[in-house]
Amino acid sequence: MTQSVQTSCHGPVPVETEGMPLVVLVGQPNVGKSVLFHHLTGIYVTVSNYPGTTVEVTRGKGRVAGDEFAVMDTPGMYGFLPITEEERIARRLLLEERPSLVIHVVDAKNLERMLPMTLQFIEAGLPLMLVLNLMDEAERAGVQVDEDVLQRALGIPVVKTALARGQGVEAVRAAVAAALRGDTSPRQSPAVIRYPDQIEQAIDRLSRALQGEHSLSRRMIALLLLQGDEEIVAMVRQREPNPEDVLRAVEEGRQAFADTPMLEIALALRLRAAELAGQAISVHAPAKPGISARLSEAMMNPLTGILLLVFTLFLVYEFVGVLGAQVLVDFLENGVFAAYVNPWVDALLGRVVPWPWLRSLFGGEFGIITLGIRYAVAIVLPVVATFFLAFSLIEDSGYLPRLAMLIDRVFKKIGLSGRAVIPMVLGFGCDTMATLVARTLETRRERVISTLLLALAIPCSAQLGVMLGLLGGDVRLLAVWTAVLSAVFLLVGYLAAQVTPGERPVFYMELPPLRLPTVGNVLSKTAARMEWYLREVLPLFVLASVLIWVGQLTGLFDLALALIRPVMHWLGLPDQAATAFLFGFFRRDYGAAGLYDLQATLSARQLLVATVTMTLFVPCIAQVAVMFKERGWKVAVGILVFVVPFALLVGGGLNRVLLWLGMM
Amino acid sequence: MTLLLSSSVTELPLSSAGDVPLASLRVGQEGVVTVLAMRDEARLRKLMALGILPGARLRLVRRWPGYVFQIGFSQFAVDEDIAGAIYVRPLDASAAADL
Ligand SMILES: Nc1nc2c(ncn2[C@@H]2O[C@H](COP(=O)(O)OP(=O)(O)OP(=O)(O)O)[C@@H](O)[C@H]2O)c(=O)[nH]1
Ligand SMILES: [Mg+2]
């Protein structure tokens, strides 16, 4: 069974759904599957306006007419034959689970492009329902759809919706109820499409050779085998009584075609889809290309695009770096914790706890409340909250795919395609989530390079926020910090591209329409991410306080500090900075928060060296876990072994350069 | 406005002398895809799933820093390599003009 990893600030808690009928949501990327999942289950999974938002399966529970059913949200897939890892995950689900209902969510205005997949689901014998979503956009584009025509031609229920506006949700629920009450055993696939004779004959012969039990129709298995689908070949070897006979039949079938019949099959599907769409759709004079078309154009024009990028970064800085990291942090840190919480906790402990050793667990310099909770709530939370809010707006607008196009040429120099812009930018929110999203990249080389860069040079929102708070008072420092990190990013990327073997990256991506972010989604997403964040960070921060407490009692803490001190000297930092770096091993943001406490005692040069080193330093535990799981231990260990000494090298080097320049 | 939608795929003989790579269309010019000249089968499949397949009618929207084109109601961005591998038969200038 596919289980989603719950390692970090990116996923909801799993739900128990044993024994319930299963409804699976599938379809092309960016069509509204995750919005529908939220409507059916009440569970929020990330919804954003770019293809490839969902990269793992989420399971939830829905209820219609008193009956409970399990619902699964899946990553978008482009076709029935998967290419990238997240597509493979979605299809594996269809091969392994026996869903009672499969809901194919599509973009109504691009029906012709969507229907080939619908036809394939029907051919596969899956119990299917079609949801024509984004009807509001279709209508604005002058597209009208007659769902009855489709319903009759395809023999499946068809529902029109505009899910982001809540339209049609009741109709979907009613259709789900009807489908779950009805017969859900595997169906005889209706003849929705006929391929060229040669292919039909090959399918017939192969279907007859198949004897095992499969979750897909024999016709579909035959089609996939003819197209050389390796996962299906493996399945045949496992489940067929005489796999060799089948594979020989596949070879014979394929001989009739120069290469594979892939192109012919795709064309036949597409022609049939065009025919169906032609019957079901009428197009009226669409609205004139409006402001969104012009904005889209401005985002992609290099000149205006770069101006817009700078302007966006400036707004984000004002909101996160100034409002979040300075105003709000100052208020919570000085106005709340220093003024009320900490003195109150210490006073209370002084009264009720007679033993100083126990008092120091909760209060004092490193206590759970006075340090752990204070860091999490007063220093990190305001920044994370403002960042996620600003970030949601950007994600939902559709800006990121356009940025990907704009930056593709630069990224090629570091061995990545423009598509990698998406995990890189997500990394500024949460590096762990971003490492997972690197799944959507096509080649292993791109996945490895982006994992390295995320681990090294992309500070997550928590860390970024504290850095902004530390350096934000002085624009020059911030400029140097940004310049050093950008240089490291490009240089390491460039070198990694030289030494990592593999194919050259290519770039192609769908540009979704620009959309006006909805208040509801922006707030839900921000709230969900803050919740995930706190759920991960609070326990770790508390744990760190406890470990430090144990370390202090046993003297190990001082020993560790003594070991780190020479490193501090190499960096030109004072002895106290060792504490922050020790914290940094737990989480970079925790370490950065440690620097926050030292702020007053550091010179500008020391501040710069400390923040640069800390930013490059070890990634957080959750990120390391995902690195191991997604990229394998060799890559993960390799990256870690590189990152720590490299961070210290850059920090020490920067210190010497700054000293030599006599700048600070 | 040319109706792109329900007529965006037609049966047509593949490849002929007048075909040019997408990369050599002018901005605003329309063409019909004839051949996808690439060896990587998975990539070919994905492009076709995106609707970029022989018979699809497209219009070039931008050439720099990447190639952007429109098919039906969707826009796609591709790099030079892909734009050089998608062969199209250009439609005459008058068809492009009224878009
Ligand atoms: N205007 C409009 N926007 C919608 C509608 N349904 C979804 N959206 C938007 O479409 C975008 C994609 O929605 P998601 O639910 O993330 O799509 P998905 O199918 O889960 O996408 P992947 O996870 O990438 O496969 C979001 O920006 C939604 O707000 C709709 O009915 N109308
Ligand atoms: Mg999704």
Side-chain angles (χ1 to χ4, degrees):
Chain A
M1 174 140 317
T2 328
Q3 265 295 334
S4 53
V5 266
Q6 304 296 341
T7 36
S8 77
C9 32
H10 68 273
V13 200
V15 175
E16 182 51 55
T17 51
E18 248 340 271
M20 296 177 197
L22 175 64
V23 176
V24 181
L25 310 180
V26 291
Q28 282 87 346
N30 209 38
V31 295
K33 297 180 295 298
S34 297
V35 177
L36 181 57
F37 182 75
H38 184 213
H39 281 303
L40 291 176
T41 63
I43 297 173
Y44 184 80
V45 289
T46 310
V47 168
S48 299
N49 188 15
Y50 59 79
T53 305
T54 306
V55 293
E56 49 190 350
V57 172
T58 311
R59 191 181 269 270
K61 198 161 58 177
R63 177 188 285 274
V64 275
D67 290 325
E68 290 196 314
F69 56 93
V71 189
M72 281 179 157
D73 184 29
T74 64
M77 44 183 185
Y78 284 101
F80 213 81
L81 276 84
I83 298 160
T84 42
E85 182 56 26
E86 85 282 3
E87 289 184 88
R88 211 158 282 136
I89 289 170
R91 197 187 67 171
R92 204 168 297 142
L93 197 75
L94 293 177
L95 295 179
E96 286 170 4
E97 306 273 340
R98 294 270 175 160
S100 304
L101 179 65
V102 174
I103 301 184
H104 183 202
V105 185
V106 301
D107 173 0
K109 68 179 175 309
N110 285 312
L111 197 55
E112 186 182 316
R113 177 152 64 90
M114 304 279 140
L115 280 178
M117 203 192 278
T118 315
L119 294 170
Q120 284 173 293
F121 287 137
I122 294 175
E123 281 201 294
L126 296 166
L128 195 70
M129 173 169 137
L130 184 62
V131 168
L132 306 173
N133 189 34
L134 293 148
M135 275 312 298
D136 54 325
E137 279 186 1
E139 271 158 29
R140 229 174 305 134
V143 176
Q144 306 245 300
V145 190
D146 185 343
E147 71 266 44
D148 291 338
V149 171
L150 289 175
Q151 204 149 314
R152 252 175 290 135
L154 300 173
I156 57 169
V158 181
V159 184
K160 286 206 275 195
T161 60
L163 291 167
R165 311 181 160 202
Q167 289 165 17
V169 177
E170 278 317 307
V172 174
R173 295 170 60 86
V176 169
L180 291 183
R181 249 181 283 119
D183 176 25
T184 55
S185 56
R187 302 173 183 194
Q188 218 21 274
S189 42
V192 285
I193 174 165
R194 237 194 100 72
Y195 297 102
D197 288 341
Q198 220 176 13
I199 296 176
E200 286 290 345
Q201 284 156 15
I203 295 173
D204 274 350
R205 247 177 287 128
L206 245 179
S207 306
R208 261 178 277 127
L210 287 167
Q211 285 161 0
E213 271 290 310
H214 300 285
S215 46
L216 303 181
S217 69
R218 289 193 176 152
R219 182 177 167 87
M220 193 67 206
I221 305 238
L223 271 166
L224 293 173
L225 285 173
L226 283 174
Q227 295 176 81
D229 188 321
E230 274 159 28
E231 216 170 319
I232 301 293
V233 171
M235 196 178 84
V236 161
R237 282 192 200 285
Q238 219 175 49
R239 298 200 193 158
E240 281 292 321
N242 305 311
E244 294 313 319
D245 291 355
V246 176
L247 296 181
R248 211 171 311 118
V250 174
E251 279 316 306
E252 280 163 23
R254 286 178 69 153
Q255 258 156 31
F257 308 94
D259 203 353
T260 70
M262 186 182 74
L263 183 65
E264 284 88 342
I265 291 174
L267 272 177
L269 282 166
R270 185 59 187 237
L271 282 171
R272 176 71 179 125
E275 189 183 350
L276 285 167
Q279 291 163 5
I281 276 184
S282 51
V283 183
H284 303 276
K288 282 249 175 302
I291 179 158
S292 88
R294 251 173 288 149
L295 187 57
S296 167
E297 184 52 31
M299 284 173 175
M300 296 189 292
N301 182 315
L303 207 72
T304 46
I306 289 168
L307 285 177
L308 271 172
L309 177 61
V310 171
F311 182 64
T312 312
L313 290 176
F314 170 74
L315 287 185
V316 171
Y317 172 71
E318 283 295 314
F319 189 63
V320 181
V322 178
L323 179 70
Q326 291 172 33
V327 179
L328 289 177
V329 168
D330 185 51
F331 167 73
L332 288 170
E333 169 76 358
N334 299 322
V336 179
F337 273 86
Y340 298 102
V341 179
N342 286 5
W344 184 79
V345 168
D346 285 337
L348 183 76
L349 286 170
R351 250 182 293 126
V352 300
V353 181
W355 312 283
W357 60 267
L358 188 59
R359 260 184 244 159
S360 65
L361 176 59
F362 298 98
E365 202 182 345
F366 300 113
I368 292 176
I369 300 172
T370 47
L371 184 81
I373 306 243
R374 177 169 66 90
Y375 275 6
V377 173
I379 301 186
V380 176
L381 191 66
V383 172
V384 172
T386 45
F387 183 86
F388 280 153
L389 198 63
F391 195 56
S392 288
L393 287 169
I394 295 174
E395 280 182 319
D396 288 11
S397 67
Y399 180 50
L400 294 181
R402 286 163 176 83
L403 186 63
M405 198 262 345
L406 194 64
I407 283 183
D408 177 54
R409 278 171 195 275
V410 179
F411 264 42
K412 289 274 170 62
K413 303 266 189 294
I414 57 174
L416 298 174
S417 78
R419 184 166 252 283
V421 163
I422 288 182
M424 290 301 145
V425 174
L426 283 179
F428 288 104
C430 169
D431 280 306
T432 311
M433 178 176 80
T435 306
L436 203 62
V437 168
R439 270 181 188 174
T440 59
L441 302 177
E442 245 180 55
T443 59
R444 186 183 129 82
R445 179 164 177 256
E446 282 180 89
R447 293 192 290 269
V448 169
I449 295 175
S450 45
T451 305
L452 166 67
L453 292 175
L454 285 169
L456 182 70
I458 306 279
C460 76
S461 57
Q463 214 193 343
L464 188 68
V466 186
M467 300 300 175
L468 287 175
L470 280 169
L471 302 173
D474 189 337
V475 177
R476 279 179 320 147
L477 294 186
L478 199 60
V480 178
W481 180 78
T482 312
V484 172
L485 283 177
S486 312
V488 166
F489 180 88
L490 293 174
L491 187 72
V492 172
Y494 177 77
L495 294 177
Q498 307 305 311
V499 301
T500 319
E503 308 165 56
R504 235 151 60 91
V506 295
F507 175 65
Y508 56 103
M509 196 174 188
E510 184 179 355
L511 302 174
L514 289 181
R515 291 177 175 141
L516 203 61
T518 62
V519 179
N521 189 50
V522 168
L523 291 183
S524 312
K525 183 151 61 177
T526 308
R529 283 176 169 166
M530 278 168 65
E531 190 196 322
W532 300 329
Y533 182 79
L534 278 181
R535 207 184 307 133
E536 174 186 330
V537 150
L538 264 183
L540 270 176
F541 278 26
V542 168
L543 178 71
S545 285
V546 174
L547 286 179
I548 291 168
W549 176 73
V550 172
Q552 273 190 317
L553 285 185
T554 55
L556 284 174
F557 187 65
D558 287 329
L559 190 67
L561 288 184
L563 284 176
I564 300 181
R565 235 163 259 146
V567 178
M568 294 302 112
H569 295 161
W570 151 256
L571 293 172
L573 296 177
D575 286 353
Q576 305 96 292
T579 319
F581 275 83
L582 191 58
F583 291 176
F585 275 107
F586 290 105
R587 280 185 63 99
R588 283 191 288 191
D589 45 344
Y590 194 78
L595 290 178
Y596 197 85
D597 281 346
L598 285 180
Q599 205 171 6
T601 64
L602 297 178
S603 72
R605 172 176 51 81
Q606 289 175 323
L607 205 54
L608 207 54
V609 171
T611 45
V612 165
T613 315
M614 190 67 84
T615 310
L616 299 173
F617 212 48
V618 279
C620 78
I621 295 170
Q623 186 180 352
V624 173
V626 171
M627 279 163 58
F628 271 92
K629 188 174 156 287
E630 291 284 306
R631 307 289 114 80
W633 68 269
K634 276 187 200 152
V635 172
V637 169
I639 289 176
L640 291 178
V641 166
F642 171 71
V643 162
V644 178
F646 183 78
L648 298 175
L649 197 71
V650 172
L654 181 64
N655 183 40
R656 277 153 189 75
V657 170
L658 291 175
L659 276 175
W660 180 67
L661 289 174
M663 261 170 55
M664 292 157 176
Chain B
M1 170 79 199
T2 316
L3 200 69
L4 288 172
L5 187 76
S6 45
S7 58
S8 76
V9 181
T10 46
E11 267 172 297
L12 87 178
L14 299 183
S15 103
S16 77
D19 297 352
V20 296
L22 172 66
S24 55
L25 287 186
R26 279 174 287 112
V27 167
Q29 200 177 8
E30 282 189 68
V32 176
V33 177
T34 51
V35 173
L36 300 173
M38 56 189 75
R39 265 166 298 128
D40 187 329
E41 204 175 279
R43 189 166 297 148
L44 185 62
R45 221 159 53 210
K46 190 151 169 185
L47 285 179
M48 291 198 300
L50 282 171
I52 307 166
L53 75 181
R57 178 167 173 176
L58 58 76
R59 182 168 55 92
L60 194 67
V61 175
R62 157 168 295 284
R63 301 175 52 93
W64 178 265
Y67 293 86
V68 177
F69 55 90
Q70 176 134 8
I71 298 181
F73 291 101
S74 306
Q75 285 200 344
F76 303 91
V78 300
D79 62 13
E80 267 163 350
D81 288 357
I82 303 266
I86 300 175
Y87 281 79
V88 296
R89 179 166 317 151
L91 296 175
D92 59 52
S94 67
D98 61 17
L99 257 171

